PDB file of all heavy atoms in Angstrom:
ATOM      1  N   LEU A   1      75.692  93.420  77.341  1.00  0.00           N
ATOM      2  CA  LEU A   1      74.484  92.703  76.909  1.00  0.00           C
ATOM      3  C   LEU A   1      74.726  91.761  75.752  1.00  0.00           C
ATOM      4  O   LEU A   1      74.034  90.745  75.634  1.00  0.00           O
ATOM      5  CB  LEU A   1      73.385  93.701  76.591  1.00  0.00           C
ATOM      6  CG  LEU A   1      72.863  94.530  77.768  1.00  0.00           C
ATOM      7  CD1 LEU A   1      71.795  95.470  77.319  1.00  0.00           C
ATOM      8  CD2 LEU A   1      72.348  93.634  78.884  1.00  0.00           C
ATOM      9  N   ASP A   2      75.665  92.060  74.883  1.00  0.00           N
ATOM     10  CA  ASP A   2      75.955  91.168  73.745  1.00  0.00           C
ATOM     11  C   ASP A   2      76.463  89.815  74.268  1.00  0.00           C
ATOM     12  O   ASP A   2      76.188  88.786  73.585  1.00  0.00           O
ATOM     13  CB  ASP A   2      77.023  91.780  72.838  1.00  0.00           C
ATOM     14  CG  ASP A   2      76.430  92.905  72.012  1.00  0.00           C
ATOM     15  OD1 ASP A   2      75.192  93.050  71.946  1.00  0.00           O
ATOM     16  OD2 ASP A   2      77.199  93.751  71.430  1.00  0.00           O
ATOM     17  N   HIS A   3      77.143  89.773  75.390  1.00  0.00           N
ATOM     18  CA  HIS A   3      77.636  88.518  75.895  1.00  0.00           C
ATOM     19  C   HIS A   3      76.488  87.612  76.279  1.00  0.00           C
ATOM     20  O   HIS A   3      76.476  86.402  75.945  1.00  0.00           O
ATOM     21  CB  HIS A   3      78.515  88.788  77.114  1.00  0.00           C
ATOM     22  CG  HIS A   3      78.939  87.508  77.852  1.00  0.00           C
ATOM     23  ND1 HIS A   3      79.807  86.620  77.280  1.00  0.00           N
ATOM     24  CD2 HIS A   3      78.576  87.010  79.061  1.00  0.00           C
ATOM     25  CE1 HIS A   3      79.986  85.578  78.111  1.00  0.00           C
ATOM     26  NE2 HIS A   3      79.247  85.799  79.204  1.00  0.00           N
ATOM     27  N   TRP A   4      75.462  88.154  76.941  1.00  0.00           N
ATOM     28  CA  TRP A   4      74.273  87.397  77.275  1.00  0.00           C
ATOM     29  C   TRP A   4      73.477  86.997  76.024  1.00  0.00           C
ATOM     30  O   TRP A   4      72.955  85.868  75.962  1.00  0.00           O
ATOM     31  CB  TRP A   4      73.419  88.196  78.235  1.00  0.00           C
ATOM     32  CG  TRP A   4      73.932  88.197  79.624  1.00  0.00           C
ATOM     33  CD1 TRP A   4      74.969  87.504  80.120  1.00  0.00           C
ATOM     34  CD2 TRP A   4      73.430  88.954  80.702  1.00  0.00           C
ATOM     35  NE1 TRP A   4      75.164  87.776  81.446  1.00  0.00           N
ATOM     36  CE2 TRP A   4      74.236  88.678  81.846  1.00  0.00           C
ATOM     37  CE3 TRP A   4      72.372  89.878  80.860  1.00  0.00           C
ATOM     38  CZ2 TRP A   4      74.033  89.242  83.060  1.00  0.00           C
ATOM     39  CZ3 TRP A   4      72.165  90.450  82.130  1.00  0.00           C
ATOM     40  CH2 TRP A   4      72.957  90.121  83.181  1.00  0.00           C
ATOM     41  N   GLN A   5      73.430  87.850  75.065  1.00  0.00           N
ATOM     42  CA  GLN A   5      72.681  87.493  73.852  1.00  0.00           C
ATOM     43  C   GLN A   5      73.343  86.351  73.136  1.00  0.00           C
ATOM     44  O   GLN A   5      72.671  85.458  72.592  1.00  0.00           O
ATOM     45  CB  GLN A   5      72.599  88.705  72.935  1.00  0.00           C
ATOM     46  CG  GLN A   5      71.735  89.841  73.515  1.00  0.00           C
ATOM     47  CD  GLN A   5      71.777  91.100  72.653  1.00  0.00           C
ATOM     48  OE1 GLN A   5      72.227  91.047  71.519  1.00  0.00           O
ATOM     49  NE2 GLN A   5      71.258  92.199  73.132  1.00  0.00           N
ATOM     50  N   THR A   6      74.697  86.301  73.159  1.00  0.00           N
ATOM     51  CA  THR A   6      75.425  85.208  72.525  1.00  0.00           C
ATOM     52  C   THR A   6      75.063  83.894  73.256  1.00  0.00           C
ATOM     53  O   THR A   6      74.941  82.851  72.631  1.00  0.00           O
ATOM     54  CB  THR A   6      76.915  85.481  72.560  1.00  0.00           C
ATOM     55  OG1 THR A   6      77.184  86.725  71.863  1.00  0.00           O
ATOM     56  CG2 THR A   6      77.694  84.364  71.859  1.00  0.00           C
ATOM     57  N   GLU A   7      74.987  83.962  74.575  1.00  0.00           N
ATOM     58  CA  GLU A   7      74.650  82.720  75.325  1.00  0.00           C
ATOM     59  C   GLU A   7      73.205  82.304  75.046  1.00  0.00           C
ATOM     60  O   GLU A   7      72.876  81.135  74.968  1.00  0.00           O
ATOM     61  CB  GLU A   7      74.853  83.006  76.840  1.00  0.00           C
ATOM     62  CG  GLU A   7      76.304  83.111  77.258  1.00  0.00           C
ATOM     63  CD  GLU A   7      76.416  83.225  78.766  1.00  0.00           C
ATOM     64  OE1 GLU A   7      75.394  82.938  79.441  1.00  0.00           O
ATOM     65  OE2 GLU A   7      77.501  83.488  79.258  1.00  0.00           O
ATOM     66  N   LEU A   8      72.313  83.311  74.924  1.00  0.00           N
ATOM     67  CA  LEU A   8      70.923  82.948  74.761  1.00  0.00           C
ATOM     68  C   LEU A   8      70.646  82.254  73.431  1.00  0.00           C
ATOM     69  O   LEU A   8      69.741  81.412  73.324  1.00  0.00           O
ATOM     70  CB  LEU A   8      70.061  84.262  74.858  1.00  0.00           C
ATOM     71  CG  LEU A   8      69.870  84.809  76.276  1.00  0.00           C
ATOM     72  CD1 LEU A   8      69.206  86.145  76.198  1.00  0.00           C
ATOM     73  CD2 LEU A   8      69.029  83.842  77.105  1.00  0.00           C
ATOM     74  N   ILE A   9      71.349  82.639  72.369  1.00  0.00           N
ATOM     75  CA  ILE A   9      71.032  82.074  71.063  1.00  0.00           C
ATOM     76  C   ILE A   9      71.772  80.760  70.843  1.00  0.00           C
ATOM     77  O   ILE A   9      71.585  80.140  69.765  1.00  0.00           O
ATOM     78  CB  ILE A   9      71.431  83.065  69.931  1.00  0.00           C
ATOM     79  CG1 ILE A   9      72.932  83.321  69.925  1.00  0.00           C
ATOM     80  CG2 ILE A   9      70.640  84.325  70.070  1.00  0.00           C
ATOM     81  CD1 ILE A   9      73.357  84.268  68.809  1.00  0.00           C
ATOM     82  N   GLN A  10      72.582  80.265  71.796  1.00  0.00           N
ATOM     83  CA  GLN A  10      73.169  78.979  71.654  1.00  0.00           C
ATOM     84  C   GLN A  10      72.182  77.923  72.083  1.00  0.00           C
ATOM     85  O   GLN A  10      71.730  77.886  73.220  1.00  0.00           O
ATOM     86  CB  GLN A  10      74.448  78.894  72.527  1.00  0.00           C
ATOM     87  CG  GLN A  10      75.553  79.821  72.133  1.00  0.00           C
ATOM     88  CD  GLN A  10      76.142  79.478  70.754  1.00  0.00           C
ATOM     89  OE1 GLN A  10      76.143  78.310  70.370  1.00  0.00           O
ATOM     90  NE2 GLN A  10      76.619  80.478  70.064  1.00  0.00           N
ATOM     91  N   PRO A  11      71.802  77.004  71.183  1.00  0.00           N
ATOM     92  CA  PRO A  11      70.727  76.044  71.529  1.00  0.00           C
ATOM     93  C   PRO A  11      71.092  75.052  72.642  1.00  0.00           C
ATOM     94  O   PRO A  11      70.224  74.581  73.310  1.00  0.00           O
ATOM     95  CB  PRO A  11      70.493  75.299  70.229  1.00  0.00           C
ATOM     96  CG  PRO A  11      71.736  75.477  69.411  1.00  0.00           C
ATOM     97  CD  PRO A  11      72.310  76.779  69.831  1.00  0.00           C
ATOM     98  N   LYS A  12      72.419  74.774  72.782  1.00  0.00           N
ATOM     99  CA  LYS A  12      72.860  73.792  73.800  1.00  0.00           C
ATOM    100  C   LYS A  12      73.158  74.469  75.139  1.00  0.00           C
ATOM    101  O   LYS A  12      73.562  73.765  76.062  1.00  0.00           O
ATOM    102  CB  LYS A  12      74.057  73.019  73.285  1.00  0.00           C
ATOM    103  CG  LYS A  12      73.746  72.158  72.104  1.00  0.00           C
ATOM    104  CD  LYS A  12      74.970  71.333  71.707  1.00  0.00           C
ATOM    105  CE  LYS A  12      74.619  70.425  70.518  1.00  0.00           C
ATOM    106  NZ  LYS A  12      75.792  69.586  70.143  1.00  0.00           N
ATOM    107  N   THR A  13      73.043  75.770  75.216  1.00  0.00           N
ATOM    108  CA  THR A  13      73.367  76.486  76.458  1.00  0.00           C
ATOM    109  C   THR A  13      72.174  76.519  77.372  1.00  0.00           C
ATOM    110  O   THR A  13      71.083  76.882  76.932  1.00  0.00           O
ATOM    111  CB  THR A  13      73.845  77.898  76.161  1.00  0.00           C
ATOM    112  OG1 THR A  13      74.996  77.882  75.308  1.00  0.00           O
ATOM    113  CG2 THR A  13      74.228  78.644  77.432  1.00  0.00           C
ATOM    114  N   ARG A  14      72.404  76.160  78.585  1.00  0.00           N
ATOM    115  CA  ARG A  14      71.332  76.279  79.620  1.00  0.00           C
ATOM    116  C   ARG A  14      71.545  77.601  80.366  1.00  0.00           C
ATOM    117  O   ARG A  14      72.335  77.679  81.331  1.00  0.00           O
ATOM    118  CB  ARG A  14      71.369  75.070  80.563  1.00  0.00           C
ATOM    119  CG  ARG A  14      70.962  73.748  79.897  1.00  0.00           C
ATOM    120  CD  ARG A  14      70.814  72.661  80.928  1.00  0.00           C
ATOM    121  NE  ARG A  14      70.350  71.415  80.268  1.00  0.00           N
ATOM    122  CZ  ARG A  14      70.095  70.295  80.964  1.00  0.00           C
ATOM    123  NH1 ARG A  14      70.265  70.274  82.263  1.00  0.00           N
ATOM    124  NH2 ARG A  14      69.660  69.228  80.280  1.00  0.00           N
ATOM    125  N   PHE A  15      70.836  78.591  79.963  1.00  0.00           N
ATOM    126  CA  PHE A  15      71.006  79.944  80.563  1.00  0.00           C
ATOM    127  C   PHE A  15      70.358  79.961  81.956  1.00  0.00           C
ATOM    128  O   PHE A  15      69.172  79.577  82.104  1.00  0.00           O
ATOM    129  CB  PHE A  15      70.333  80.946  79.631  1.00  0.00           C
ATOM    130  CG  PHE A  15      70.642  82.391  80.019  1.00  0.00           C
ATOM    131  CD1 PHE A  15      71.844  82.965  79.721  1.00  0.00           C
ATOM    132  CD2 PHE A  15      69.752  83.184  80.698  1.00  0.00           C
ATOM    133  CE1 PHE A  15      72.161  84.259  80.050  1.00  0.00           C
ATOM    134  CE2 PHE A  15      70.028  84.471  81.044  1.00  0.00           C
ATOM    135  CZ  PHE A  15      71.249  85.009  80.741  1.00  0.00           C
ATOM    136  N   GLN A  16      71.138  80.397  82.925  1.00  0.00           N
ATOM    137  CA  GLN A  16      70.705  80.365  84.319  1.00  0.00           C
ATOM    138  C   GLN A  16      70.508  81.708  84.929  1.00  0.00           C
ATOM    139  O   GLN A  16      69.902  81.836  85.985  1.00  0.00           O
ATOM    140  CB  GLN A  16      71.685  79.549  85.185  1.00  0.00           C
ATOM    141  CG  GLN A  16      71.896  78.120  84.734  1.00  0.00           C
ATOM    142  CD  GLN A  16      70.717  77.264  84.890  1.00  0.00           C
ATOM    143  OE1 GLN A  16      69.812  77.541  85.691  1.00  0.00           O
ATOM    144  NE2 GLN A  16      70.618  76.185  84.072  1.00  0.00           N
ATOM    145  N   ARG A  17      71.014  82.798  84.295  1.00  0.00           N
ATOM    146  CA  ARG A  17      71.022  84.124  84.945  1.00  0.00           C
ATOM    147  C   ARG A  17      69.790  84.918  84.531  1.00  0.00           C
ATOM    148  O   ARG A  17      69.878  86.083  84.067  1.00  0.00           O
ATOM    149  CB  ARG A  17      72.290  84.864  84.547  1.00  0.00           C
ATOM    150  CG  ARG A  17      73.579  84.084  84.874  1.00  0.00           C
ATOM    151  CD  ARG A  17      74.752  84.975  84.775  1.00  0.00           C
ATOM    152  NE  ARG A  17      74.678  86.117  85.714  1.00  0.00           N
ATOM    153  CZ  ARG A  17      75.553  87.141  85.733  1.00  0.00           C
ATOM    154  NH1 ARG A  17      76.497  87.143  84.857  1.00  0.00           N
ATOM    155  NH2 ARG A  17      75.410  88.102  86.572  1.00  0.00           N
ATOM    156  N   TRP A  18      68.628  84.343  84.718  1.00  0.00           N
ATOM    157  CA  TRP A  18      67.382  85.040  84.346  1.00  0.00           C
ATOM    158  C   TRP A  18      67.129  86.244  85.297  1.00  0.00           C
ATOM    159  O   TRP A  18      66.553  87.234  84.872  1.00  0.00           O
ATOM    160  CB  TRP A  18      66.196  84.081  84.392  1.00  0.00           C
ATOM    161  CG  TRP A  18      66.264  83.029  83.324  1.00  0.00           C
ATOM    162  CD1 TRP A  18      66.550  81.713  83.495  1.00  0.00           C
ATOM    163  CD2 TRP A  18      66.120  83.203  81.927  1.00  0.00           C
ATOM    164  NE1 TRP A  18      66.582  81.024  82.288  1.00  0.00           N
ATOM    165  CE2 TRP A  18      66.298  81.972  81.292  1.00  0.00           C
ATOM    166  CE3 TRP A  18      65.803  84.344  81.093  1.00  0.00           C
ATOM    167  CZ2 TRP A  18      66.192  81.781  79.925  1.00  0.00           C
ATOM    168  CZ3 TRP A  18      65.741  84.133  79.748  1.00  0.00           C
ATOM    169  CH2 TRP A  18      65.892  82.909  79.161  1.00  0.00           C
ATOM    170  N   ASP A  19      67.506  86.103  86.586  1.00  0.00           N
ATOM    171  CA  ASP A  19      67.331  87.232  87.501  1.00  0.00           C
ATOM    172  C   ASP A  19      68.139  88.435  87.079  1.00  0.00           C
ATOM    173  O   ASP A  19      67.682  89.584  87.114  1.00  0.00           O
ATOM    174  CB  ASP A  19      67.665  86.795  88.928  1.00  0.00           C
ATOM    175  CG  ASP A  19      69.056  86.233  89.053  1.00  0.00           C
ATOM    176  OD1 ASP A  19      69.643  85.874  87.988  1.00  0.00           O
ATOM    177  OD2 ASP A  19      69.590  86.159  90.196  1.00  0.00           O
ATOM    178  N   ALA A  20      69.439  88.156  86.660  1.00  0.00           N
ATOM    179  CA  ALA A  20      70.297  89.239  86.219  1.00  0.00           C
ATOM    180  C   ALA A  20      69.754  89.871  84.935  1.00  0.00           C
ATOM    181  O   ALA A  20      69.787  91.097  84.767  1.00  0.00           O
ATOM    182  CB  ALA A  20      71.694  88.752  86.015  1.00  0.00           C
ATOM    183  N   LEU A  21      69.237  89.039  84.029  1.00  0.00           N
ATOM    184  CA  LEU A  21      68.677  89.574  82.795  1.00  0.00           C
ATOM    185  C   LEU A  21      67.442  90.454  83.077  1.00  0.00           C
ATOM    186  O   LEU A  21      67.239  91.494  82.448  1.00  0.00           O
ATOM    187  CB  LEU A  21      68.310  88.432  81.829  1.00  0.00           C
ATOM    188  CG  LEU A  21      67.732  88.826  80.491  1.00  0.00           C
ATOM    189  CD1 LEU A  21      68.764  89.616  79.696  1.00  0.00           C
ATOM    190  CD2 LEU A  21      67.352  87.568  79.711  1.00  0.00           C
ATOM    191  N   LEU A  22      66.606  90.008  83.996  1.00  0.00           N
ATOM    192  CA  LEU A  22      65.451  90.823  84.391  1.00  0.00           C
ATOM    193  C   LEU A  22      65.878  92.188  84.957  1.00  0.00           C
ATOM    194  O   LEU A  22      65.271  93.238  84.576  1.00  0.00           O
ATOM    195  CB  LEU A  22      64.629  90.056  85.411  1.00  0.00           C
ATOM    196  CG  LEU A  22      63.377  90.800  85.944  1.00  0.00           C
ATOM    197  CD1 LEU A  22      62.423  91.176  84.808  1.00  0.00           C
ATOM    198  CD2 LEU A  22      62.680  89.957  87.025  1.00  0.00           C
ATOM    199  N   GLN A  23      66.892  92.211  85.815  1.00  0.00           N
ATOM    200  CA  GLN A  23      67.341  93.472  86.353  1.00  0.00           C
ATOM    201  C   GLN A  23      67.951  94.363  85.260  1.00  0.00           C
ATOM    202  O   GLN A  23      67.768  95.576  85.301  1.00  0.00           O
ATOM    203  CB  GLN A  23      68.378  93.217  87.475  1.00  0.00           C
ATOM    204  CG  GLN A  23      67.814  92.525  88.688  1.00  0.00           C
ATOM    205  CD  GLN A  23      66.795  93.352  89.412  1.00  0.00           C
ATOM    206  OE1 GLN A  23      66.821  94.576  89.351  1.00  0.00           O
ATOM    207  NE2 GLN A  23      65.837  92.695  90.035  1.00  0.00           N
ATOM    208  N   ALA A  24      68.606  93.740  84.300  1.00  0.00           N
ATOM    209  CA  ALA A  24      69.160  94.554  83.192  1.00  0.00           C
ATOM    210  C   ALA A  24      68.040  95.211  82.377  1.00  0.00           C
ATOM    211  O   ALA A  24      68.144  96.340  81.955  1.00  0.00           O
ATOM    212  CB  ALA A  24      70.053  93.661  82.320  1.00  0.00           C
ATOM    213  N   ARG A  25      67.006  94.440  82.113  1.00  0.00           N
ATOM    214  CA  ARG A  25      65.887  94.990  81.359  1.00  0.00           C
ATOM    215  C   ARG A  25      65.191  96.097  82.142  1.00  0.00           C
ATOM    216  O   ARG A  25      64.801  97.129  81.573  1.00  0.00           O
ATOM    217  CB  ARG A  25      64.896  93.887  81.046  1.00  0.00           C
ATOM    218  CG  ARG A  25      65.452  92.838  80.037  1.00  0.00           C
ATOM    219  CD  ARG A  25      64.477  91.723  79.814  1.00  0.00           C
ATOM    220  NE  ARG A  25      63.264  92.212  79.209  1.00  0.00           N
ATOM    221  CZ  ARG A  25      62.159  91.457  78.973  1.00  0.00           C
ATOM    222  NH1 ARG A  25      62.171  90.203  79.320  1.00  0.00           N
ATOM    223  NH2 ARG A  25      61.081  91.937  78.410  1.00  0.00           N
ATOM    224  N   LEU A  26      65.046  95.935  83.440  1.00  0.00           N
ATOM    225  CA  LEU A  26      64.472  96.966  84.267  1.00  0.00           C
ATOM    226  C   LEU A  26      65.319  98.245  84.246  1.00  0.00           C
ATOM    227  O   LEU A  26      64.780  99.371  84.161  1.00  0.00           O
ATOM    228  CB  LEU A  26      64.254  96.493  85.711  1.00  0.00           C
ATOM    229  CG  LEU A  26      63.179  95.422  85.946  1.00  0.00           C
ATOM    230  CD1 LEU A  26      63.180  94.983  87.403  1.00  0.00           C
ATOM    231  CD2 LEU A  26      61.760  95.980  85.526  1.00  0.00           C
ATOM    232  N   ALA A  27      66.647  98.046  84.328  1.00  0.00           N
ATOM    233  CA  ALA A  27      67.521  99.239  84.280  1.00  0.00           C
ATOM    234  C   ALA A  27      67.453  99.920  82.939  1.00  0.00           C
ATOM    235  O   ALA A  27      67.482 101.123  82.870  1.00  0.00           O
ATOM    236  CB  ALA A  27      68.968  98.763  84.583  1.00  0.00           C
ATOM    237  N   LEU A  28      67.290  99.175  81.848  1.00  0.00           N
ATOM    238  CA  LEU A  28      67.168  99.785  80.551  1.00  0.00           C
ATOM    239  C   LEU A  28      65.863 100.562  80.434  1.00  0.00           C
ATOM    240  O   LEU A  28      65.838 101.654  79.834  1.00  0.00           O
ATOM    241  CB  LEU A  28      67.234  98.696  79.454  1.00  0.00           C
ATOM    242  CG  LEU A  28      68.617  98.077  79.186  1.00  0.00           C
ATOM    243  CD1 LEU A  28      68.505  96.974  78.203  1.00  0.00           C
ATOM    244  CD2 LEU A  28      69.577  99.129  78.699  1.00  0.00           C
ATOM    245  N   HIS A  29      64.769 100.022  81.039  1.00  0.00           N
ATOM    246  CA  HIS A  29      63.516 100.762  81.030  1.00  0.00           C
ATOM    247  C   HIS A  29      63.640 102.047  81.821  1.00  0.00           C
ATOM    248  O   HIS A  29      63.155 103.148  81.388  1.00  0.00           O
ATOM    249  CB  HIS A  29      62.429  99.919  81.658  1.00  0.00           C
ATOM    250  CG  HIS A  29      61.891  98.815  80.738  1.00  0.00           C
ATOM    251  ND1 HIS A  29      61.411  99.103  79.464  1.00  0.00           N
ATOM    252  CD2 HIS A  29      61.777  97.485  80.921  1.00  0.00           C
ATOM    253  CE1 HIS A  29      61.037  97.965  78.907  1.00  0.00           C
ATOM    254  NE2 HIS A  29      61.230  96.995  79.777  1.00  0.00           N
ATOM    255  N   GLN A  30      64.302 102.028  82.946  1.00  0.00           N
ATOM    256  CA  GLN A  30      64.486 103.219  83.756  1.00  0.00           C
ATOM    257  C   GLN A  30      65.375 104.221  83.043  1.00  0.00           C
ATOM    258  O   GLN A  30      65.143 105.431  83.122  1.00  0.00           O
ATOM    259  CB  GLN A  30      65.049 102.854  85.123  1.00  0.00           C
ATOM    260  CG  GLN A  30      64.064 102.047  85.989  1.00  0.00           C
ATOM    261  CD  GLN A  30      64.733 101.278  87.114  1.00  0.00           C
ATOM    262  OE1 GLN A  30      65.934 101.204  87.173  1.00  0.00           O
ATOM    263  NE2 GLN A  30      63.910 100.693  87.982  1.00  0.00           N
ATOM    264  N   LEU A  31      66.386 103.743  82.326  1.00  0.00           N
ATOM    265  CA  LEU A  31      67.259 104.637  81.584  1.00  0.00           C
ATOM    266  C   LEU A  31      66.528 105.317  80.443  1.00  0.00           C
ATOM    267  O   LEU A  31      66.700 106.505  80.180  1.00  0.00           O
ATOM    268  CB  LEU A  31      68.436 103.848  81.076  1.00  0.00           C
ATOM    269  CG  LEU A  31      69.669 104.684  80.531  1.00  0.00           C
ATOM    270  CD1 LEU A  31      70.193 105.593  81.582  1.00  0.00           C
ATOM    271  CD2 LEU A  31      70.744 103.704  80.029  1.00  0.00           C
ATOM    272  N   GLU A  32      65.623 104.568  79.826  1.00  0.00           N
ATOM    273  CA  GLU A  32      64.797 105.121  78.757  1.00  0.00           C
ATOM    274  C   GLU A  32      63.868 106.195  79.301  1.00  0.00           C
ATOM    275  O   GLU A  32      63.680 107.278  78.685  1.00  0.00           O
ATOM    276  CB  GLU A  32      63.984 104.032  78.084  1.00  0.00           C
ATOM    277  CG  GLU A  32      63.115 104.536  76.915  1.00  0.00           C
ATOM    278  CD  GLU A  32      62.317 103.421  76.302  1.00  0.00           C
ATOM    279  OE1 GLU A  32      62.462 102.252  76.726  1.00  0.00           O
ATOM    280  OE2 GLU A  32      61.486 103.727  75.411  1.00  0.00           O
ATOM    281  N   ASP A  33      63.231 105.925  80.456  1.00  0.00           N
ATOM    282  CA  ASP A  33      62.356 106.919  81.060  1.00  0.00           C
ATOM    283  C   ASP A  33      63.152 108.168  81.434  1.00  0.00           C
ATOM    284  O   ASP A  33      62.614 109.320  81.279  1.00  0.00           O
ATOM    285  CB  ASP A  33      61.655 106.362  82.293  1.00  0.00           C
ATOM    286  CG  ASP A  33      60.691 105.209  81.969  1.00  0.00           C
ATOM    287  OD1 ASP A  33      60.267 105.149  80.764  1.00  0.00           O
ATOM    288  OD2 ASP A  33      60.384 104.409  82.853  1.00  0.00           O
ATOM    289  N   LEU A  34      64.329 107.971  81.919  1.00  0.00           N
ATOM    290  CA  LEU A  34      65.188 109.112  82.310  1.00  0.00           C
ATOM    291  C   LEU A  34      65.503 110.005  81.096  1.00  0.00           C
ATOM    292  O   LEU A  34      65.398 111.225  81.183  1.00  0.00           O
ATOM    293  CB  LEU A  34      66.487 108.581  82.910  1.00  0.00           C
ATOM    294  CG  LEU A  34      67.466 109.612  83.515  1.00  0.00           C
ATOM    295  CD1 LEU A  34      66.860 110.262  84.734  1.00  0.00           C
ATOM    296  CD2 LEU A  34      68.802 108.923  83.837  1.00  0.00           C
ATOM    297  N   CYS A  35      65.866 109.368  79.989  1.00  0.00           N
ATOM    298  CA  CYS A  35      66.129 110.119  78.760  1.00  0.00           C
ATOM    299  C   CYS A  35      64.910 110.808  78.234  1.00  0.00           C
ATOM    300  O   CYS A  35      64.960 111.930  77.692  1.00  0.00           O
ATOM    301  CB  CYS A  35      66.764 109.206  77.691  1.00  0.00           C
ATOM    302  SG  CYS A  35      68.359 108.563  78.098  1.00  0.00           S
ATOM    303  N   ASP A  36      63.698 110.143  78.350  1.00  0.00           N
ATOM    304  CA  ASP A  36      62.501 110.820  77.907  1.00  0.00           C
ATOM    305  C   ASP A  36      62.209 112.087  78.728  1.00  0.00           C
ATOM    306  O   ASP A  36      61.753 113.072  78.151  1.00  0.00           O
ATOM    307  CB  ASP A  36      61.324 109.808  78.028  1.00  0.00           C
ATOM    308  CG  ASP A  36      61.365 108.738  76.931  1.00  0.00           C
ATOM    309  OD1 ASP A  36      61.972 109.001  75.872  1.00  0.00           O
ATOM    310  OD2 ASP A  36      60.777 107.647  77.162  1.00  0.00           O
TER     311      ASP A  36
END
């Protein structure tokens, strides 16, 4: 995830992998629910 965060904070970078980022956030939510 740090690799994507580095791309996101670059002002000249046109980030295109929004679908992958969405799936990563959903997986993190499911992992949090699992731990709960």
Side-chain angles (χ1 to χ4, degrees):
L1 294 180
D2 285 346
H3 174 69
W4 283 352
Q5 293 175 13
T6 303
E7 290 187 10
L8 285 171
I9 62 178
Q10 296 295 329
K12 294 184 178 181
T13 301
R14 293 189 176 182
F15 191 77
Q16 302 293 338
R17 303 193 63 188
W18 293 108
D19 55 343
L21 181 61
L22 177 61
Q23 293 299 329
R25 293 177 61 187
L26 290 176
L28 288 175
H29 283 307
Q30 291 160 351
L31 194 58
E32 180 182 357
D33 294 339
L34 186 68
C35 293
D36 286 337

